[in-house]
Amino acid sequence: MSDTAERDGGQRVERGGRGAADQGGATPAQPSPGERPLGGRSPGEQLSDEPVSDDERRKRRRVLARPGFLGTLRERLALLDEARALDLHDLDAPSDLYGDGIVEALEEKTAGLLGKEAAAFFPTGTMAQQVALRCWAGRTGNPTVALHALAHPEMHERNAFSQVSGLRPVRVTSEPRLPTAAEIRDFDEPFGALMLELPLRDAGFVLPTWQELTEVVEAAREREAVVHFDGARLWESTVHFGRPLEEIADLADSVYVSFYKSLDGFGGAAVAGPKTLVDEAKAWRHRYGGSVFQQFPTALSALAGLERELPRLPEYVAHARVVAAALREGFAAAGVPWTRIHPEPPHTNEFQVWLPYDADVIAEAAIRHAEVTRTVLFANGWEAKGPGLAFTEVYVRAAGLEWTADDVREAVARFVALLTEEVTR
């Protein structure tokens, strides 16, 4: 999944459903739903400047999830101080110019983690995946890319594959799961590459089983297609698969990863694979305008993320399952007529929560809950999926580890009380 702006907002937002133009038409893409501010306070921001006790100040900072990119400039710059303290790179070495130096060091480390021959750094994932699949199209002689209808390039990238890179995406399935081996074998058009988004974010951060994944890859190989993993969040898939990162990546001919979605870096992405492919990708990176003059802050923050966040992701995934179960129990105890945690248990540290209310009503309740309780249970926006039905995304990272199951259930009870008030107004 490429580095188009996330829905992980923490703002008071409007989340309407996607229209037909958002499903692959030519209409320019709009900002992701969680990034459309309506005005007013966001759930996670400072609520008052009045003097408060230490206990109250602690409560004000209590947010179940707050991604690093929503931090202040001072907080973001602290990543560079942390990188200096961790001694991740020789800071007395010359700075990078057009992708050398520290950028090459990041590429080498990434390739090693993924068990690939080489890797190329890109400023965005949108660019990285276009280039990788364009290179594969040249090798296979077929520009057709088979993917899921909910894959990031289909949902969020303004038809970049076809409009910019001469690729032809075809949708294998639109079901809220990864494609099956049978669907790959029986697909009625030839394709040169199969792109699998792991996890599939717009379906709920879902993953297949290890057996299902290996069977899908084998089915693509039978059709003489290459396999590319859209692995923006591949880093946190190891718990679900029960396999190390390099073994997962070994199934694919090439892998894209993001440095900011899970690792809290300033941005950036990489494509890893055979050295010949990566060398060509770097040539296309230059043509696409991706050979930025200096990128040491982003590269250094990525190295810090690999050092700090990557080892903690299994802990986040494990605690996400605790949080998800507590959310379900809390809504049941509060008498909500229907709720859905999807998937349950979560496949990664991110999952969806569905509630039978209008999105605007839930969003208003979330704002009021933050104001009244000084805690933020749902920091992301709510998206309407039909009359009286909406969902939001929940993720568990370092801040979420501080929440016990009892904390979550208590927060849900207070949230539902405010939600009921909103409904009856």
Side-chain angles (χ1 to χ4, degrees):
M1 192 175 290
S2 47
D3 294 55
T4 303
E6 290 294 279
R7 284 189 295 225
D8 306 332
Q11 295 177 317
R12 180 176 176 181
V13 294
E14 176 182 22
R15 296 197 60 151
R18 299 184 185 95
D22 298 308
Q23 302 292 334
T27 302
Q30 299 300 312
S32 294
E35 297 213 306
R36 295 183 217 150
L38 288 174
R41 289 187 292 270
S42 71
E45 72 180 73
Q46 182 76 15
L47 299 171
S48 171
D49 292 327
E50 298 174 3
V52 294
S53 66
D54 289 342
D55 183 61
E56 185 68 14
R57 188 174 292 108
R58 179 189 64 81
K59 289 181 180 179
R60 286 188 177 187
R61 290 198 298 266
R62 195 154 200 212
V63 181
L64 180 59
R66 181 173 180 261
F69 60 75
L70 287 180
T72 65
L73 287 173
R74 188 180 304 279
E75 290 170 336
R76 299 302 280 156
L77 286 172
L79 278 179
L80 301 184
D81 293 331
E82 179 181 359
R84 183 185 300 115
L86 291 171
D87 195 24
L88 299 174
H89 189 76
D90 181 6
L91 299 185
D92 291 321
S95 184
D96 62 299
L97 294 175
Y98 295 115
D100 64 4
I102 190 172
V103 176
E104 290 179 335
L106 175 60
E107 291 171 339
E108 183 177 349
K109 184 174 182 64
T110 302
L113 288 169
L114 297 172
K116 298 298 185 185
E117 285 186 338
F121 179 83
F122 285 83
T124 72
T126 299
M127 182 188 297
Q129 297 212 105
Q130 284 188 62
V131 167
L133 290 164
R134 179 173 195 146
C135 292
W136 282 126
R139 284 162 165 72
T140 65
N142 187 337
T144 302
V145 179
L147 42 62
H148 196 287
L150 295 176
H152 199 278
E154 290 294 274
M155 299 294 292
H156 304 294
E157 296 181 14
R158 298 192 178 193
N159 307 306
F161 275 13
S162 59
Q163 296 298 313
V164 178
S165 297
L167 299 169
R168 179 174 172 265
V170 292
R171 301 176 175 186
V172 177
T173 182
S174 59
E175 294 296 317
R177 52 158 174 76
L178 273 293
T180 66
E183 287 169 334
I184 298 301
R185 288 193 180 94
D186 298 339
F187 193 67
D188 57 6
E189 294 187 60
F191 53 85
L194 171 65
M195 192 189 87
L196 296 173
E197 184 178 320
L198 301 173
L200 185 56
R201 184 267 185 92
D202 277 277
F205 306 96
V206 297
L207 289 163
T209 65
W210 180 252
Q211 181 175 346
E212 289 169 340
L213 180 59
T214 56
E215 289 174 352
V216 166
V217 170
E218 181 180 348
R221 302 270 191 251
E222 291 172 5
R223 298 190 61 150
E224 298 184 346
V226 298
V227 177
H228 170 78
F229 284 172
D230 176 342
R233 296 174 174 85
L234 191 70
W235 306 114
E236 57 263 46
S237 68
T238 56
V239 175
H240 177 82
F241 287 132
R243 299 290 195 283
L245 191 62
E246 61 269 24
E247 186 176 350
I248 300 168
D250 187 56
L251 292 178
D253 297 284
S254 60
V255 180
Y256 146 66
V257 290
S258 171
F259 293 121
Y260 83 83
K261 289 181 171 63
S262 306
L263 303 179
D264 264 356
F266 292 170
V271 169
K275 187 177 185 303
T276 54
L277 179 86
V278 170
D279 288 344
E280 183 185 0
K282 289 182 178 181
W284 280 104
R285 179 180 67 186
H286 192 180
R287 295 183 181 114
Y288 274 64
S291 294
V292 180
F293 179 55
Q294 287 194 316
Q295 299 182 98
F296 64 89
T298 301
L300 197 54
S301 73
L303 287 171
L306 290 170
E307 182 74 16
R308 181 195 64 245
E309 291 298 307
L310 184 58
R312 303 194 71 183
L313 290 177
E315 184 181 10
Y316 299 167
V317 174
H319 197 62
R321 295 173 179 177
V322 174
V323 170
L327 285 168
R328 174 178 47 77
E329 294 162 1
F331 282 116
V336 175
W338 177 89
T339 187
R340 175 88 182 270
I341 306 297
H342 176 69
E344 189 173 18
H347 295 174
T348 70
N349 60 316
E350 300 171 291
F351 56 91
Q352 294 176 343
V353 174
W354 292 67
L355 291 176
Y357 302 96
D358 288 335
D360 290 346
V361 171
I362 309 177
E364 190 62 36
I367 298 294
R368 290 193 62 210
H369 180 257
E371 293 173 336
V372 170
T373 69
R374 307 298 184 182
T375 64
V376 180
L377 181 61
F378 299 114
N380 289 347
W382 289 83
E383 181 170 350
K385 298 302 286 187
L389 182 64
F391 83 93
T392 190
E393 294 174 345
V394 175
Y395 44 81
V396 174
R397 298 179 188 171
L401 297 179
E402 300 177 4
W403 288 59
T404 66
D406 286 342
D407 291 336
V408 175
R409 286 188 287 262
E410 179 184 350
V412 169
R414 301 192 71 178
F415 170 76
V416 172
L418 293 167
L419 178 59
T420 301
E421 290 180 13
E422 287 294 325
V423 172
T424 56
R425 280 188 178 185

